[in-house]
Amino acid sequence: MHELTPGSPSLRALFPALHQEVNGHPLLYFDNAATTHKPTFVIRAITDFYEKDNSNVHRGLHELSARATASFEAARQRIGSFISAPNPDGVIFTRGATEAINLVASAWANSVLQPGDRILLTAMEHHSNIVPWQLLANRARLSIAFAPLTPEGRLDFDELDQLLAPPTRLFAFTHISNVLGTVNPAEKICALAHSRGIATLVDAAQSCGHFPLDMEALNCDFLVLSGHKMCGPTGIGVLAIHPRRFGQISPWQGGGEMIERVTFEGSTYKSLPHLLEAGTPPIASAIALAVACDFLDSIGRDAIRQHDEKLAMLALDLFSRIEGMEIIGPRNSRAGVVSFTLTDVHPHDVVEVANRFGLALRGGHHCAQPLMRVLAKPSTARASFYLYTTEDEVHRTAEILAQVRKFFN
Amino acid sequence: MHELTPGSPSLRALFPALHQEVNGHPLLYFDNAATTHKPTFVIRAITDFYEKDNSNVHRGLHELSARATASFEAARQRIGSFISAPNPDGVIFTRGATEAINLVASAWANSVLQPGDRILLTAMEHHSNIVPWQLLANRARLSIAFAPLTPEGRLDFDELDQLLAPPTRLFAFTHISNVLGTVNPAEKICALAHSRGIATLVDAAQSCGHFPLDMEALNCDFLVLSGHKMCGPTGIGVLAIHPRRFGQISPWQGGGEMIERVTFEGSTYKSLPHLLEAGTPPIASAIALAVACDFLDSIGRDAIRQHDEKLAMLALDLFSRIEGMEIIGPRNSRAGVVSFTLTDVHPHDVVEVANRFGLALRGGHHCAQPLMRVLAKPSTARASFYLYTTEDEVHRTAEILAQVRKFFN
Amino acid sequence: MELEELYQSIILEHSRRPRNKGPLEGATHTAVGNNPACGDEIAVQVRLGPTGIVEAAQFTGQGCAISQAAASLFTIKLKGKTQEEACKLIRQFIEMVKGLPEEEDRSGKPSGEMLFGDLAAFAGVRKFPQRVKCATLAPNAFYEIFAGHRSENA
Amino acid sequence: MELEELYQSIILEHSRRPRNKGPLEGATHTAVGNNPACGDEIAVQVRLGPTGIVEAAQFTGQGCAISQAAASLFTIKLKGKTQEEACKLIRQFIEMVKGLPEEEDRSGKPSGEMLFGDLAAFAGVRKFPQRVKCATLAPNAFYEIFAGHRSENA
Ligand SMILES: Cc1ncc(COP(=O)(O)O)c(C=O)c1O
Ligand SMILES: Cc1ncc(COP(=O)(O)O)c(C=O)c1O
């Protein structure tokens, strides 16, 4: 696969879902921040599992079970290496990024944080990195603060510096905003928090498929991935736990796989990663996610990142020529997510009309209602790119947006 | 598909994984209680989703998102009809049966049960229906009791009658034992519990792919299914909640999809089913599970049940002729799960040698250590059947077990 | 499916220049409609006369063309109606945009008053199921006022 | 992969007639090995002499042929050894059944004492990775006694 470059026809040929018409136009899929399409390799890995190795894991001595277990555990290793996790035992398979964050709230923060402690979030978080903490804060009498943003939509580092202090015990923040396209300097932030004894959770849902990720370098305590946003299946995600937190993890869900010994009176538990993986896991999806890692590394995450940024800059340039266009978020060094509004046209209507031209945009609050309130907009439209997006598609999108403009004038 | 009968070659042809050799012998897959194989329709449903409709659900107005949402919600309806759920809004997608039980413990029992209340389980439960309750009981100061068994391995109804009384508030029991093959009379039990104001949870992990299930008739409060044990994918399961409990459900995991409104200060939540489905769900797997329901209904669950029972009776007959064979569980009206031990041969060694002949058995405690202690056996070997198992395969299995016997003599 | 089926000219016109938008002097009742999918919120207000007739209806809040136009048109249509008439009109409207209950008749023809009125412009919404919530946002809120409870959530 | 590679005759023989099985009179140390995957549990006991030499070793508990044979053979092999020698032997054994660390040499040849002794019968286990836990259940428990802590969990 080595000669595949982002946006090239040979790369696009690997994604079956791209090659279809919507309302008589070729599909322009610009909703990659919601979920990405899957290359044939990933789809084939799922099929292969069910056609050949299908079996439950960990519990069996027979051939199929041995094969399934070996592939599943190899997937854990592969994902550990993909993010340079310090120890693959800290790589936990979850349903997605949302569940991974809830897991940290229940199995770590719930027992480690004390009443009065503060959890710091940012004003640009996805609901998945807000609501689990609100539920926990209510239960455990913690407080929550939100680090504010600069007018351009970046973290305000002066304010952040103030907030990274007692009673803050945990800073959970997104690597890339799914609305603003802002890229937060995660390594620098984690270093600062760490120097002040504050634990960190990096929500890498938006970066895991787009950016090189190195957990050793980040030195965060928890790292959260979303499989379906990185060419993997739906229903799989990852929580990576830094070994310095292994001893602080309580049992989470109970059931098969996570126990050592069960009696009528009580139970003892296995160590990580099994402690946090009760029940039959999404075996095929975990194996397919490892194939997605192989695929992304064969393209090169640096190349993907550059491709995203180039498209974002092109979109900023082309879109801003449209009358009444307001683009949200930083003007430079940003990810491939471009949110915008058109004066006097509601985002729902933008998306509806775009769809008639085969263009898949997203409109709404993007699961970031608090940010919307900061931006003083009930909603925005959003175009988000990925490694298969072409410059030509961005040009066509700009033309369609101009037609949307016309339709409502 | 209407002329397909259980065990027929045309039905077996639909399961790709069955047609392979293991150690030079045709695979004899007798580990169906751990997980079942998947028919081409189900595998194809996953592929189709990723090749055509792939998109996130609920959040989008564009064509792909509308299609994905419609298929996902249709899957919920289909699964609701498969189990005659009183209201499809109570059909919640989970990772599996284990997660479904944990969900009930956290989002219902944790707030509804009071210190001192008792949870009743049985001595034949899977760890997944024990450990979540032990974790909860510790947190919430509840007690747990285990309904005992008769020597034959059925529930002791005299004892059960006594235990279905204050302070018991919830009776959580398995429909079919994954070790004994015992079929519990779930409808009768739920009626008795209900008449005494005791809530019921039926763990249908072992019955959902084998038996007709009618939640209206069962009249249980919670019903739990495991997708991968009913021809569906791994990583998907179902919790069905009776509408009379809708008002007692608290938020569980927090995140996107489950909220109505999020502010810096706090959040309000959607109603069921969305309340309990935070984050991107396993979309493809849910859709494929609905296809598994169609498939099972096209064969007929009564036909599957009869086929299972016929094979179990054949196995009981053939196996018991082997020297030193001890068969565990009821002699009649049982499910297609046959556990056994061979004198002086450890189950691990039975399974290992069987595997050399292509026979996939399971050996161990089957995630039912408390039951093993009641049976006074550290472990057993187990053969479990399904709709593609043939009588000839059962005969070959009996021959292989005779060879195992010889090997260790 | 053509765009013009959804965005009828009367809808576009009302969304560009909504009538009766702004707080209502001397309002007797207020209700809020909220679409969690997009975060849109519309507040509706009415002033009921001593005999229970709608003397005036207004609305505030942002939303898409469909929800704004529906709000605007209803503020006009409701004026002078009894509460019972208002409820009936809203129920008919909701039935229309959700599609008729009878599977046979999917011709898209609205019934009763709406056959002839401006509200018929919303008949196309039934072909865009994701927009039903938009069309019914304000009507549902009005219904809450007149029926004393929220109507079936569209 | 032939069954005989795993179930060497000496293993079958020891599993059928395990030596030194039963509680040990005057034991100075006891440790328990537990395999959560199958629920098997083996307790091992030793009597250390005044100079730290293993005077006797016995075991109790159920398990598969592999774990029983390993327990039985080790009770014999450990007798007369210093604690240091015992630790070394166990480490060598564990390395053997897990496969050599050097990727180049996968010939399956055991090293040192085991090259020639009965323990060499366990060399085939490396081809059955799921059985490594069985072979090391008792040795690991013995190691816990001699090293004062649990050895790396096989
Ligand atoms: C920043 C961010 N965090 C978390 C999530 C939730 O991820 P998942 O869908 O895997 O639960 C998303 C995606 O919706 C996201 O964009
Ligand atoms: C009776 C019973 N309950 C629960 C489970 C757990 O199901 P799942 O693998 O879907 O979590 C199983 C299967 O292992 C089972 O046999």
Side-chain angles (χ1 to χ4, degrees):
Chain A
M1 305 187 223
H2 295 84
E3 69 306 329
L4 292 172
T5 49
S8 66
S10 49
L11 184 144
R12 289 177 61 85
L14 298 174
F15 290 83
L18 292 178
H19 310 286
Q20 60 179 301
E21 294 213 331
V22 165
N23 292 317
H25 300 268
L27 168 67
L28 290 170
Y29 186 77
F30 275 51
D31 196 15
N32 292 289
T35 200
T36 66
H37 287 305
K38 324 302 173 198
T40 46
F41 311 105
V42 168
I43 303 172
R44 187 75 222 160
I46 300 173
T47 314
D48 275 354
F49 177 78
Y50 289 126
E51 292 186 351
K52 291 178 195 144
D53 298 342
N54 176 58
S55 199
N56 214 323
V57 291
H58 300 144
R59 303 185 203 165
L61 284 172
H62 62 76
E63 170 80 11
L64 264 56
S65 178
R67 280 182 348 220
T69 305
S71 305
F72 180 70
E73 289 303 328
R76 191 190 308 283
Q77 299 284 334
R78 180 63 188 95
I79 288 151
S81 77
F82 185 75
I83 55 172
S84 301
N87 183 336
D89 285 348
V91 173
I92 315 298
F93 287 114
T94 65
R95 176 172 30 251
T98 302
E99 183 174 58
I101 296 170
N102 280 276
L103 198 170
V104 175
S106 296
W108 179 78
N110 186 43
S111 55
V112 170
L113 301 190
Q114 301 300 320
D117 283 350
R118 182 169 67 191
I119 296 167
L120 182 61
L121 308 173
T122 81
M124 64 170 92
E125 296 310 312
H126 188 278
H127 292 164
S128 292
N129 198 26
I130 300 176
V131 186
W133 306 116
Q134 290 180 334
L135 290 169
L136 173 70
N138 280 341
R139 266 201 315 275
R141 288 179 292 136
L142 310 171
S143 67
I144 295 181
F146 291 85
L149 310 184
T150 65
E152 207 203 8
R154 300 191 191 272
L155 279 176
D156 181 330
F157 274 89
D158 291 339
E159 299 275 356
L160 184 61
D161 192 73
Q162 305 272 312
L163 288 162
L164 284 173
T168 297
R169 292 281 308 279
L170 168 69
F171 183 31
F173 66 98
T174 193
H175 194 183
I176 294 180
S177 160
N178 68 322
V179 176
L180 303 167
T182 307
V183 182
N184 288 317
E187 201 172 318
K188 178 177 140 192
I189 294 172
C190 291
L192 184 66
H194 194 60
S195 74
R196 298 183 186 173
I198 295 167
T200 45
L201 180 150
V202 178
D203 174 358
Q206 289 295 336
S207 59
C208 55
H210 300 255
F211 263 57
L213 276 180
D214 181 335
M215 190 171 171
E216 301 247 31
L218 280 173
N219 197 21
C220 56
D221 295 278
F222 304 100
L223 182 69
V224 156
L225 316 185
S226 173
H228 68 92
K229 294 189 206 275
M230 52 183 280
C231 292
T234 54
I236 190 82
V238 171
L239 167 66
I241 306 176
H242 196 282
R244 64 176 168 255
R245 299 295 173 185
F246 283 10
Q248 296 182 328
I249 305 291
S250 314
W252 185 50
Q253 300 190 347
E257 311 290 357
M258 58 75 79
I259 58 88
E260 197 169 79
R261 180 199 281 254
V262 178
T263 70
F264 288 139
E265 291 73 38
S267 301
T268 59
Y269 309 108
K270 289 202 185 126
S271 52
L272 293 176
H274 307 295
L275 174 66
L276 297 175
E277 291 182 357
T280 304
I283 307 171
S285 302
I287 292 168
L289 183 59
V291 173
C293 292
D294 288 343
F295 172 72
L296 292 173
D297 275 347
S298 76
I299 312 294
R301 281 176 276 169
D302 271 318
I304 298 169
R305 176 189 182 150
Q306 282 159 22
H307 182 71
D308 281 344
E309 188 169 341
K310 185 184 65 190
L311 295 177
M313 296 321 289
L314 177 63
L316 257 57
D317 178 31
L318 296 176
F319 291 6
S320 58
R321 300 182 201 174
I322 296 163
E323 182 212 325
M325 170 68 69
E326 182 186 348
I327 288 169
I328 290 145
R331 297 295 117 167
N332 50 42
S333 65
R334 48 137 68 220
V337 175
V338 177
S339 291
F340 59 90
T341 56
L342 275 179
T343 318
D344 291 335
V345 188
H346 189 278
H348 260 198
D349 297 314
V350 173
V351 174
E352 186 78 66
V353 176
N355 185 51
R356 296 300 125 184
F357 294 98
L359 170 60
L361 297 177
R362 187 139 300 223
H365 53 61
H366 313 291
C367 296
Q369 288 180 1
L371 174 60
M372 291 295 141
R373 231 150 288 135
V374 170
L375 297 172
K377 298 191 179 302
S379 58
T380 73
R382 181 184 74 187
S384 50
F385 317 122
Y386 203 26
L387 75 176
Y388 37 66
T389 311
T390 67
E391 296 194 23
D392 179 55
E393 286 184 310
V394 178
H395 279 279
R396 271 148 61 209
T397 296
E399 283 158 25
I400 292 170
L401 291 177
Q403 290 196 262
V404 170
R405 169 79 279 165
K406 229 186 287 166
F407 186 85
F408 287 102
N409 264 1
Chain B
M1 307 183 219
H2 295 84
E3 68 308 328
L4 292 173
T5 49
S8 65
S10 49
L11 185 145
R12 289 178 60 84
L14 298 173
F15 289 83
L18 292 178
H19 310 287
Q20 59 179 302
E21 294 213 331
V22 165
N23 292 317
H25 300 268
L27 168 67
L28 290 169
Y29 186 78
F30 275 51
D31 195 16
N32 292 289
T35 201
T36 66
H37 287 305
K38 324 301 173 200
T40 46
F41 311 105
V42 168
I43 302 172
R44 187 73 222 160
I46 300 173
T47 313
D48 275 355
F49 177 78
Y50 289 127
E51 291 186 352
K52 291 175 195 145
D53 298 342
N54 177 59
S55 197
N56 214 323
V57 291
H58 298 144
R59 303 185 203 166
L61 284 173
H62 61 78
E63 171 79 12
L64 265 56
S65 178
R67 280 181 350 219
T69 305
S71 306
F72 180 70
E73 289 304 327
R76 191 191 309 281
Q77 298 285 333
R78 179 64 189 96
I79 288 152
S81 77
F82 185 76
I83 55 172
S84 300
N87 183 337
D89 286 348
V91 173
I92 314 298
F93 288 114
T94 65
R95 176 171 31 249
T98 302
E99 183 173 58
I101 297 171
N102 280 276
L103 198 171
V104 176
S106 296
W108 179 77
N110 187 43
S111 55
V112 170
L113 302 190
Q114 300 300 321
D117 283 350
R118 182 167 69 190
I119 296 167
L120 182 61
L121 309 173
T122 82
M124 64 171 93
E125 296 311 312
H126 187 279
H127 292 163
S128 292
N129 198 26
I130 299 175
V131 186
W133 305 116
Q134 290 180 334
L135 290 169
L136 174 69
N138 280 341
R139 266 202 313 273
R141 288 178 291 135
L142 310 171
S143 68
I144 295 180
F146 291 84
L149 310 184
T150 66
E152 206 203 8
R154 299 191 192 273
L155 279 176
D156 182 328
F157 274 89
D158 291 339
E159 299 273 359
L160 184 61
D161 193 72
Q162 306 272 312
L163 287 162
L164 283 174
T168 298
R169 293 280 310 278
L170 168 69
F171 183 30
F173 65 98
T174 194
H175 194 185
I176 293 180
S177 160
N178 69 320
V179 176
L180 304 166
T182 307
V183 182
N184 288 316
E187 201 171 318
K188 179 177 139 190
I189 294 173
C190 291
L192 185 66
H194 194 59
S195 73
R196 298 184 183 172
I198 295 167
T200 46
L201 179 150
V202 178
D203 174 359
Q206 289 296 334
S207 59
C208 54
H210 299 255
F211 264 57
L213 276 181
D214 181 335
M215 190 171 171
E216 301 248 30
L218 280 173
N219 196 21
C220 55
D221 295 278
F222 304 100
L223 183 69
V224 155
L225 315 186
S226 172
H228 67 92
K229 296 190 205 275
M230 52 183 281
C231 292
T234 54
I236 190 82
V238 171
L239 167 66
I241 306 176
H242 196 285
R244 64 175 168 257
R245 299 295 173 186
F246 283 11
Q248 296 181 328
I249 306 291
S250 314
W252 185 49
Q253 299 189 349
E257 310 290 356
M258 59 75 78
I259 58 88
E260 198 170 78
R261 180 201 282 256
V262 178
T263 70
F264 288 139
E265 292 72 36
S267 302
T268 59
Y269 309 109
K270 288 202 185 125
S271 52
L272 293 175
H274 306 295
L275 174 66
L276 297 176
E277 292 183 356
T280 304
I283 306 170
S285 301
I287 293 168
L289 183 59
V291 173
C293 292
D294 288 343
F295 173 74
L296 292 173
D297 274 348
S298 76
I299 311 294
R301 279 177 278 169
D302 272 317
I304 298 170
R305 177 190 181 148
Q306 283 158 24
H307 182 72
D308 280 345
E309 189 170 340
K310 186 183 65 189
L311 295 176
M313 297 320 290
L314 178 64
L316 257 56
D317 178 30
L318 295 176
F319 292 7
S320 59
R321 300 181 200 176
I322 296 164
E323 182 211 327
M325 170 68 70
E326 182 186 348
I327 288 169
I328 290 145
R331 297 295 117 166
N332 51 44
S333 65
R334 48 135 70 220
V337 175
V338 177
S339 291
F340 59 90
T341 56
L342 275 179
T343 320
D344 292 336
V345 188
H346 189 279
H348 259 199
D349 297 315
V350 173
V351 174
E352 186 78 66
V353 177
N355 185 51
R356 296 300 125 185
F357 294 98
L359 170 60
L361 298 176
R362 186 140 303 221
H365 53 61
H366 312 293
C367 296
Q369 289 180 1
L371 174 60
M372 292 293 140
R373 230 151 288 135
V374 170
L375 298 171
K377 297 189 180 305
S379 58
T380 74
R382 180 184 74 186
S384 50
F385 318 121
Y386 203 27
L387 75 176
Y388 37 67
T389 310
T390 67
E391 296 194 22
D392 179 57
E393 286 185 310
V394 178
H395 280 279
R396 271 149 61 209
T397 295
E399 284 158 24
I400 291 170
L401 291 178
Q403 290 196 263
V404 170
R405 168 80 278 166
K406 230 185 289 165
F407 186 84
F408 287 102
N409 263 1
Chain C
M1 276 190 288
E2 283 307 312
L3 275 178
E4 285 69 21
E5 280 192 71
L6 179 64
Y7 295 109
Q8 307 254 344
S9 57
I10 187 137
I11 292 181
L12 286 179
E13 201 272 322
H14 271 267
S15 77
R16 279 194 205 104
R17 297 193 308 108
R19 320 297 196 275
N20 304 313
K21 189 162 179 179
L24 174 61
E25 279 292 287
T28 57
H29 297 78
T30 300
V32 173
N34 171 20
N35 184 350
C38 57
D40 286 343
E41 208 173 88
I42 284 184
V44 301
Q45 297 187 295
V46 297
R47 188 171 66 239
L48 292 184
T51 59
I53 300 280
V54 180
E55 287 182 1
Q58 300 215 166
F59 79 103
T60 53
Q62 298 302 318
C64 62
I66 308 297
S67 68
Q68 291 285 304
S72 170
L73 273 159
F74 263 92
T75 57
I76 298 168
K77 293 285 167 196
L78 292 173
K79 204 163 153 182
K81 292 230 164 4
T82 65
Q83 295 187 57
E84 205 175 305
E85 287 164 348
C87 283
K88 188 163 162 232
L89 180 66
I90 295 169
R91 276 199 308 271
Q92 280 181 346
F93 176 82
I94 290 174
E95 272 169 28
M96 177 183 75
V97 298
K98 287 174 117 175
L100 297 171
E102 290 84 14
E103 284 292 323
E104 308 85 61
D105 189 358
R106 288 214 167 271
S107 66
K109 285 217 204 74
S111 60
E113 175 172 4
M114 278 181 286
L115 248 177
F116 310 104
D118 296 341
L119 292 176
F122 288 88
V125 170
R126 76 179 62 185
K127 298 198 184 151
F128 298 77
Q130 315 234 30
R131 306 306 294 274
V132 169
K133 276 216 162 123
C134 310
T136 57
L137 192 60
N140 264 327
F142 278 122
Y143 196 86
E144 200 181 335
I145 291 176
F146 299 125
H149 58 78
R150 227 169 178 352
S151 75
E152 190 215 335
N153 214 315
Chain D
M1 276 189 286
E2 283 308 311
L3 274 177
E4 287 68 22
E5 279 193 72
L6 180 64
Y7 295 109
Q8 307 255 343
S9 57
I10 188 137
I11 291 180
L12 286 179
E13 201 271 323
H14 271 266
S15 78
R16 281 195 203 103
R17 297 192 307 107
R19 320 297 196 275
N20 305 314
K21 190 162 179 179
L24 175 61
E25 278 293 287
T28 56
H29 296 78
T30 301
V32 174
N34 171 20
N35 184 349
C38 57
D40 287 342
E41 207 173 87
I42 285 183
V44 301
Q45 297 187 295
V46 298
R47 188 170 66 239
L48 291 184
T51 58
I53 300 280
V54 179
E55 287 182 1
Q58 301 217 164
F59 79 103
T60 53
Q62 297 303 318
C64 62
I66 309 296
S67 67
Q68 291 285 305
S72 172
L73 273 159
F74 263 92
T75 58
I76 298 169
K77 293 285 167 197
L78 292 174
K79 205 163 153 180
K81 291 229 161 14
T82 64
Q83 296 188 57
E84 204 175 306
E85 287 164 351
C87 284
K88 188 165 165 228
L89 180 65
I90 296 170
R91 277 200 307 270
Q92 280 182 346
F93 177 83
I94 290 175
E95 270 169 30
M96 177 183 73
V97 298
K98 288 174 115 175
L100 296 171
E102 289 83 14
E103 283 293 323
E104 309 86 61
D105 189 359
R106 288 218 168 267
S107 66
K109 284 214 204 77
S111 60
E113 176 172 2
M114 279 181 284
L115 247 179
F116 310 104
D118 296 340
L119 292 177
F122 287 88
V125 171
R126 75 178 63 184
K127 297 199 184 149
F128 298 77
Q130 315 235 28
R131 305 308 294 274
V132 169
K133 276 215 160 121
C134 310
T136 57
L137 191 60
N140 264 326
F142 278 123
Y143 196 86
E144 199 180 334
I145 290 175
F146 299 126
H149 59 78
R150 228 168 175 354
S151 74
E152 191 215 336
N153 214 314

